[in-house]
């Protein structure tokens, strides 16, 4: 679960990471009220779960109430990379001397935590990372050992932070690590972590992703869940009792069982495609479930082809085949379907499909063949769309 900046800052504050005083506002009047409380000048900040708000015009300094009105009015309702701004965070503006970058995340390949720290933080950190990777000091932290004050101090030296910032920055990093571990974050990022002109180090932005697997031990996360904007595709699938994950490619995937769904995703990638989503119809799926799954996938506009990969166990392939046929009769499926069915009652299923096979519904004997076909169809459709 991703948090909004204001929620991330509230989370940081719980652990003692210094942030600026401020408050949320959903209207222009509330923005002015929050500004009066925070003290001018303030910064008016769009709350959307996407980076680059500053460059998109979603972060503005305001010296007085009139300026707050102007900026809050302009930013509320603004579209930032497909996210509509419905809420603002207003905080007392800081005088920035330096902008640093600090984060902790998991390095899955190395099986340890990874801290990243740079003296070159701010809105261009991506370019810094790409062009001057040596400007980012990386620190692997063994989760069984953690990080101590000496390691944090060596790390800020390594990153070449300004001498007057080092002691406070090291303390912030220790706290950020505690927040990341005890707070069960997948990512805890501060960009920028600033040094103010009067020599204080604090967090000016917050990007926090919470680990959903730890939700059971964090009842306080409910307030974050309440503001989550659900992917409409995921909501529709949930209503039908289907497990759906939205992705950003072009091949829609339907499989039975999470394991098969994920290996199907891998095979699609392996043959050069990208998945638009994957939908696990579970075990024992019948015709109704299959029809509902196709409807959900069909409602995803990014889908250019649909790959149905069923290995019948409890799920019977004849039922699945009936579901596909029924769905084709019920809804106008926009993309061609490639289906591979095997396992329980596969022969019967193939017989059911046979009279319906066409360019729009193709059957392939293996997962690899089917994936190749679906990826080729998606590529052809995407190519046409681009012309
Ligand atoms: P992002 O663009 O979504 O990462 O939003 P940030 O919260 O990181 O803000 C972007 C940039 O706005 C920062 O890097 C700062 O340069 C600037 N900014 C944000 N808050 C303040 C502030 O209190 N004072 C000043 N002077 N600049 C700020
Ligand atoms: Mn930022």
């Amino acid at each position: 679960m991703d948090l909004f900046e204001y929620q991330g800052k509230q989370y940081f504050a719980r652990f003692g990471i210094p942030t600026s005083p401020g408050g949320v506002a959903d209207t222009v009047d509330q923005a002015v009220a929050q500004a009066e409380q925070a003290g001018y000048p303030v910064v008016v900040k769009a709350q959307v779960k996407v980076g680059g708000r500053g460059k998109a015009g979603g972060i503005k300094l305001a010296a007085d109430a009139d300026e707050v009105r102007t900026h809050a009015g302009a930013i509320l309702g603004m579209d930032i990379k497909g996210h509509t701004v419905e809420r603002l965070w207003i905080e007392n503006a800081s005088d920035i001397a330096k902008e640093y970058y600090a984060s902790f995340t998991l390095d899955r390949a190395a099986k340890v935590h990874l801290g990243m720290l740079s003296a070159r933080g701010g809105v261009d950190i991506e370019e810094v990372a790409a062009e001057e990777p040596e400007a980012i000091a990386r620190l692997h932290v063994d989760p069984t050992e953690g990080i101590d004050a000496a390691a944090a101090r060596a790390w800020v030296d390594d990153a070449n932070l300004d001498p007057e910032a080092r002691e406070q920055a090291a303390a912030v990093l220790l706290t950020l690590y505690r927040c990341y571990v005890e707070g069960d974050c997948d990512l805890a990022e501060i960009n920028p972590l600033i040094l103010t002109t009067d020599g204080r180090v604090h967090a000016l932005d917050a990007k926090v992703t919470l680990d959903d697997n730890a939700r059971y031990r964090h009842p306080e996360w409910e307030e974050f869940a309440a503001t989550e904007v659900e992917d409409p595709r995921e909501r529709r699938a949930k209503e039908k009792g289907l497990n759906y994950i939205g992705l950003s490619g072009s091949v829609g995937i339907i499989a039975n069982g999470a394991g098969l769904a994920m290996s199907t995703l891998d095979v699609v990638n392996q043959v050069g495609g990208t998945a638009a989503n994957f939908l696990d119809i579970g075990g024992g799926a019948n015709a109704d479930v299959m029809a509902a799954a196709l409807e959900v996938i069909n409602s995803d506009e990014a889908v250019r082809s649909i790959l149905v990969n069923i290995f019948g166990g409890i799920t019977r392939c004849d039922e699945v085949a009936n579901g596909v046929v029924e769905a084709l009769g019920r809804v106008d499926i926009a993309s061609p379907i490639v289906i591979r069915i095997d396992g329980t009652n596969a022969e019967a299923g193939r017989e059911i499909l046979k009279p319906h096979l066409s360019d729009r519904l193709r059957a392939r004997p293996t997962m690899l063949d089917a994936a190749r076909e679906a990826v080729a169809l998606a590529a052809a459709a995407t190519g046409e769309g681009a012309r």
Side-chain angles (χ1 to χ4, degrees), residues 240-254:
K240 301 195 174 193
L242 301 165
N243 298 314
Y244 175 98
I245 308 286
L247 302 164
S248 53
S250 57
V251 179
I253 294 173
I254 298 175

Side-chain angles (χ1 to χ4, degrees), residues 70 109 112 116 148-149 167 210 240 296 313 357:
T70 307
V112 288
M116 289 192 272
D148 63 13
E167 201 180 311
L210 300 172
K240 301 195 174 193
V296 168
L357 294 179

Side-chain angles (χ1 to χ4, degrees), residues 229-284:
V229 186
E230 216 180 4
D231 185 325
R233 300 173 300 180
E234 288 180 21
R235 193 183 47 239
R236 224 169 354 226
K238 209 183 276 173
E239 280 164 11
K240 301 195 174 193
L242 301 165
N243 298 314
Y244 175 98
I245 308 286
L247 302 164
S248 53
S250 57
V251 179
I253 294 173
I254 298 175
N256 62 318
L260 187 61
M262 293 215 251
S263 23
T264 309
L265 183 85
D266 286 344
V267 172
V268 163
N269 285 331
Q270 188 193 320
V271 298
T274 53
N277 51 50
F278 71 84
L279 200 155
D280 163 21
I281 57 173

Side-chain angles (χ1 to χ4, degrees), residues 201-213:
V201 171
H202 83 259
L204 216 59
D205 192 5
K207 187 170 175 196
V208 172
T209 304
L210 300 172
D211 177 359
D212 288 322
N213 296 307

Side-chain angles (χ1 to χ4, degrees), residues 172-202:
V172 168
L173 291 167
L174 288 174
T175 320
L176 185 64
Y177 182 75
R178 208 164 61 76
C179 170
Y180 167 73
V181 172
E182 289 172 24
D184 284 309
C185 303
D186 277 337
L187 170 72
E189 181 189 86
I190 308 176
N191 184 36
L193 173 70
I194 60 161
L195 170 65
T196 62
T197 48
D198 59 356
R200 289 172 301 119
V201 171
H202 83 259

